Amino acid sequence: MDLIIAILLALTLYWDAPTTREDGTALYSNEISHYEMFHNGTLRNTTEGTQMEVYDYGDYQVRAVDIDGQISELSNTVTHVRVKGKPSAPGQLRKIK
């Protein structure tokens, strides 16, 4: 039986809390209920803080929800990609006689 171990590198995403509403009025931190994290366009998680650790590769966006249930637009997109090391050098180079 083969044993396959996959190691996913964690990525911590963080963002700035909004300080204004779309109409320009002040938005205070106690007026924010939570944030919703989207992965590849699908709601994946919520948090009350301004950071989240993610493991899956793909595109992430976040939006704020206030205490009245009003939802902000989505943030910019951050992409978590798997970085591969370059290949090893080829084996011993020889000439044919």
Side-chain angles (χ1 to χ4, degrees), residues 32-52:
I32 297 173
S33 169
H34 62 277
Y35 298 92
E36 297 177 335
M37 178 65 64
F38 288 79
H39 175 247
N40 293 332
T42 301
L43 177 62
R44 291 291 296 269
N45 211 341
T46 62
T47 183
E48 292 180 4
T50 56
Q51 71 178 35
M52 184 177 290

Side-chain angles (χ1 to χ4, degrees), residues 71-89:
I71 301 171
S72 74
E73 297 293 322
L74 287 168
S75 68
N76 60 301
T77 301
V78 171
T79 302
H80 185 199
V81 295
R82 184 175 137 201
V83 178
K84 297 179 183 179
K86 60 184 178 181
S88 299

Side-chain angles (χ1 to χ4, degrees), residues 4-70:
I4 300 172
I5 300 174
I7 300 174
L8 293 176
L9 299 176
L11 174 69
T12 301
L13 300 176
Y14 62 94
W15 53 91
D16 298 325
T19 57
T20 58
R21 296 183 177 276
E22 289 181 354
D23 65 2
T25 59
L27 175 66
Y28 301 100
S29 60
N30 64 347
E31 295 179 293
I32 297 173
S33 169
H34 62 277
Y35 298 92
E36 297 177 335
M37 178 65 64
F38 288 79
H39 175 247
N40 293 332
T42 301
L43 177 62
R44 291 291 296 269
N45 211 341
T46 62
T47 183
E48 292 180 4
T50 56
Q51 71 178 35
M52 184 177 290
E53 199 166 83
V54 297
Y55 295 91
D56 295 325
Y57 300 116
D59 295 332
Y60 287 89
Q61 293 173 295
V62 66
R63 68 183 181 189
V65 180
D66 74 8
I67 57 176
D68 295 322
Q70 297 183 100

